[in-house]
Amino acid sequence: MISPPPHPDAQALRDWPLYGPQDPAIAECVERLAHERQMRLQDIERIILNALKAELLK
């Protein structure tokens, strides 16, 4: 059986939980929501998670 080739972002995916996103615009948006709207991080993460789940349902 032939195994599939490794994902091209395999290392970045493994590092994601430790280092977060590579795009600084994501961190900037999170900080803006936290400071400008006084949102809690758990609420911001819920928005991110809901967006990712919606994408998976497409």
Side-chain angles (χ1 to χ4, degrees), residues 15-46:
D15 289 346
W16 179 274
L18 295 173
Y19 303 114
Q22 293 180 7
D23 186 341
I26 296 170
E28 180 184 328
C29 288
V30 169
E31 287 191 33
R32 286 187 61 196
L33 286 170
H35 295 291
E36 293 175 14
R37 297 189 186 178
Q38 294 298 303
M39 290 182 71
R40 301 293 304 267
L41 187 54
Q42 68 183 27
D43 297 325
I44 297 168
E45 288 180 343
R46 189 174 306 117

Side-chain angles (χ1 to χ4, degrees), residues 5-13:
H7 190 281
D9 296 327
Q11 184 64 46
L13 288 167

